[in-house]
Amino acid sequence: MKMSLKKPNLLSLVKNINNFYFGEFLSNSCLPFFCQKFQVGLISTSVLSHLINYPDVFTITKESVTLSDTLTSVQERNTALEKVLLDMKSKDTFTALRGWRSECYEIKPKFSAPALFKMERSATPLFGVRQYGVHITGYVRHSSMGLSIWMQRRSSTKQTWPGKLDSFVGGGLSEGLGVLETAVKEAAEEANVPEDLAVGMKAAGSVSFFHQSERGIHPNTEFVFDLELPEKFQPNNNDGEVDDWKLVPVEQVLNIISSQDYKITSSAVALDFLIRHGLVRVEEEPDLPEVVELLHLPLHSLYTRNTSL
């Protein structure tokens, strides 16, 4: 019997994932954020109105926001930014900072370049800086359910997207950790995957998107991995960030990831998996070329401005 994936409008889904790109980015309503002449982010008007209170840290013109050139070293920039963010946090300036993680992301001109500074994870959407993470699709060739993937139910107490269904395993790429190292660590913490099983995951490239939430701007690149799991494997959470687990036949995945019950940015990962495994084909999805493009938005090319300002 031929597998049939009755699905919602996938083009609409990927445009919703990229709602910032199709909204404020194309309307050019944000100012570029520079450091050492490299564009590293985007500043919305709602954030800009607060940055003017820190003239020693930010140089603001009608055309751009620049991390002050008087901050000449990485450590000086780190210290100045942390002071600003802690001040904003103490004043409850932004909802995003209520989710303070005490975990930093390295901010770079491009992924392969040295870091220009680091920034508290919860603050990164406020500055529109590129963020990197890992996502693992755990799948099972089930004897009765057929090809199925594991989904987690995020903890109802998480600061972001509480209670939503999500990828099997996912996490941000924190300061000082490599991509595979992060994936193996997150697999152990979130799903209790033994290291000898986790190291068998297959790298499958990345997805990238330009999303906007109530916390700010998310220009995210997620490194994706496929991990085949034994039918008898049962994930268990070790870090308190997952409430439940659900094994889902692939025939049901598209409807789930298109629903309000699923974390919207993670739907890009699941959709990419289905496309790569031939479960979404151009014969049934005539907009497939555009769908694939919007799962791989060229964020590095969109942040290419280096300036002589």
Side-chain angles (χ1 to χ4, degrees), residues 236-261:
N236 291 288
N237 181 243
N238 291 319
D239 62 6
E241 296 191 353
V242 179
D243 278 349
D244 200 8
W245 301 94
K246 184 176 184 178
L247 185 62
V248 180
V250 290
E251 295 90 342
Q252 301 175 19
V253 170
L254 284 176
N255 284 325
I256 291 175
I257 66 174
S258 301
S259 73
Q260 296 295 315
D261 195 32

Side-chain angles (χ1 to χ4, degrees), residues 63-92:
E63 290 78 30
S64 66
V65 178
T66 302
L67 198 56
S68 177
D69 289 336
T70 63
L71 304 169
T72 57
S73 71
V74 172
Q75 187 55 53
E76 286 178 340
R77 293 189 283 271
N78 292 346
T79 300
L81 279 170
E82 183 178 34
K83 184 177 180 180
V84 167
L85 294 175
L86 286 171
D87 186 57
M88 289 178 169
K89 178 176 179 285
S90 70
K91 297 173 180 176
D92 199 25

Side-chain angles (χ1 to χ4, degrees), residues 188-231:
E189 293 176 356
E190 290 196 356
N192 200 31
V193 179
E195 184 174 353
D196 60 349
L197 180 58
V199 295
M201 70 179 80
K202 305 298 184 184
S206 63
V207 298
S208 50
F209 49 83
F210 224 159
H211 187 68
Q212 185 171 33
S213 74
E214 70 282 353
R215 294 183 295 114
I217 304 167
H218 306 269
N220 284 27
T221 297
E222 305 291 348
F223 295 96
V224 294
F225 295 85
D226 297 344
L227 176 61
E228 184 169 4
L229 296 165
E231 184 172 331

